[in-house]
């Protein structure tokens, strides 16, 4: 598998559009989270080192560094989602002639499903953290690029919601009902706190933007 | 300028994150619209040609072809946004010593702003059309991949809203107030109809998804 990051944008879009399930929603949603992080980093980078915004250094420097880490891990999650889907397909293709084979196949499929739920759950956590950091960037960042913060907040929220669609879809297929319930509870908590953070960042950015500032 | 489509995902993310205003929100929002179109195409491609879904051919085949065109034009818009921003910067750098130079500079900046408003307006129209086509895909597409339709709807809505942030931000800087008012009215109409289409597609997809179908 070619790592997502090395593909060209147009090749990646072609692969998403193709009539194969991967890369699909799981990979795209992680990429959108990475785009949200990148926009937040851009605004931090257009703020840091400028005397006018010296007060923002203490909050925005660590925020920017953390956003870079989150962007990288979200890009990795885009590739990991494809790998997890392939593992599930591989498990589903195992032989099922004898009872022993059937049990082994079911076990392998459940293990693969577990990973396929963990990957979007981690992506959702990263998207929530991006949304939280966007609040600092909205408050302390260069006001001339706050429409980029607002867009980042819209994308972080969409990435969070998209990742949780996959968490919930895969969790419901888990035979271990206790484990499934834990995933679903985690998903609800993440959704509530993450969407609130994203919406707060969006409104802070929109309230702070100077009238018609062109970037 | 390297066309957006040829860049690798990770190089593009690096460029967004860098402390330069372009590529920024305008480019990212068009790319997110292209991702929404690609997800809708994927679902259409996982439906078309299968006997079980023969009834969907008449609507999904033209929808899929149109989505491909929209995806390409949204990817082009991502590059066009960067070019429009560069033209504005170039105009702002023109000499302004004499009155004649000042007038020429102001005119050039206004012309560049006009283009910089047209580009996201066209992207917003494309994102709305993607949302409209997602309604057909949600209704008639393979139900096992309808979470990808739901994600596509979230992304089409975010892309529409993001593009309109740029339309409004740039329109308010236009000296021609009648032209600015036209842009703002177009933006409002697009926002209302496009968000409604996206939300309808999202809910149709969520209502139709089979319990826990793994793609």
């Amino acid at each position: 598998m070619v790592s997502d990051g090395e593909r060209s944008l147009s090749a990646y879009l072609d692969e998403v559009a193709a009539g194969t399930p991967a890369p699909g929603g799981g990979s795209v949603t992680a990429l959108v989270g990475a785009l949200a992080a990148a926009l937040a980093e851009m605004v931090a980078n257009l703020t840091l080192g400028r005397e006018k915004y010296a007060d923002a250094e203490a909050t925005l420097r660590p925020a920017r560094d953390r956003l870079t880490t989150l962007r990288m891990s979200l890009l990795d999650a885009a590739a990991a989602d494809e790998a997890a889907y392939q593992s599930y397909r591989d498990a589903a293709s195992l032989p099922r002639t004898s009872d022993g084979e059937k049990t082994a196949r079911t076990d392998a499929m459940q293990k693969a499903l577990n990973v396929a739920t963990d990957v979007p759950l981690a992506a959702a956590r990263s998207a929530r953290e991006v949304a939280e950091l966007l609040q600092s960037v909205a408050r302390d960042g260069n006001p001339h690029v706050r429409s980029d913060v607002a867009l980042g907040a819209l994308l972080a929220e969409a990435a969070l919601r998209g990742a949780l669609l996959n968490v919930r879809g895969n969790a419901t297929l888990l035979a271990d009902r206790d484990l499934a319930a834990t995933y679903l509870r985690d998903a609800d908590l993440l959704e509530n706190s993450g969407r609130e953070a994203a919406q707060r960042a969006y409104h802070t950015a929109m309230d702070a933007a100077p009238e018609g500032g062109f970037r």
Side-chain angles (χ1 to χ4, degrees), chain A:
Chain A
M1 186 190 58
V2 177
S3 154
D4 267 353
E6 293 157 35
R7 271 179 275 188
S8 74
L9 293 182
S10 75
Y12 179 77
L13 284 162
D14 284 344
E15 288 179 39
V16 172
T20 50
S27 170
V28 168
T29 201
L31 173 61
V32 170
L35 288 166
L39 285 169
E41 286 173 81
M42 177 184 86
V43 175
N45 281 325
L46 288 166
T47 310
L48 293 167
R50 299 191 183 188
E51 203 169 345
K52 201 165 145 189
Y53 305 121
D55 290 350
E57 293 281 331
T59 53
L60 288 196
R61 200 166 289 279
R64 191 264 320 265
D65 293 347
R66 180 65 186 152
L67 283 160
T68 305
T69 303
L70 290 167
R71 166 164 61 98
M72 300 302 175
S73 65
L74 282 159
L75 190 58
D76 288 344
D81 187 83
E82 287 183 63
Y85 180 69
Q86 193 53 54
S87 299
Y88 180 80
R89 294 295 292 249
D90 291 346
S93 306
L94 288 173
R96 45 177 161 171
T97 316
S98 67
D99 283 353
E101 280 178 353
K102 281 180 192 167
T103 307
R105 175 176 173 272
T106 303
D107 287 353
M109 285 175 73
Q110 287 293 317
K111 273 192 196 117
L113 260 182
N114 208 329
V115 175
T117 315
D118 281 335
V119 170
L121 186 66
R125 280 193 213 290
S126 295
R128 179 180 63 175
E129 196 177 343
V130 170
E132 287 164 351
L133 292 166
L134 274 160
Q135 292 186 63
S136 303
V137 177
R139 198 177 50 236
D140 299 331
N142 182 334
H144 293 286
V145 278
R146 281 188 184 164
S147 72
D148 295 295
V149 180
L151 175 64
L154 293 176
L155 297 185
E157 186 176 0
L160 173 76
R161 293 177 71 186
L164 294 177
L165 285 176
N166 285 335
V167 171
R168 292 183 176 120
N170 295 347
T172 54
L173 295 177
L174 286 166
D176 181 340
R177 301 316 298 157
D178 290 340
L179 181 60
T182 304
Y183 277 124
L184 295 175
R185 205 164 44 235
D186 283 354
D188 288 344
L189 289 172
L190 269 170
E191 177 146 37
N192 291 337
S193 59
R195 292 189 70 179
E196 195 185 319
Q199 289 170 14
R200 206 177 292 155
Y202 177 85
H203 289 294
T204 302
M206 295 301 282
D207 292 346
E211 189 76 14
F214 189 94
R215 291 184 206 176

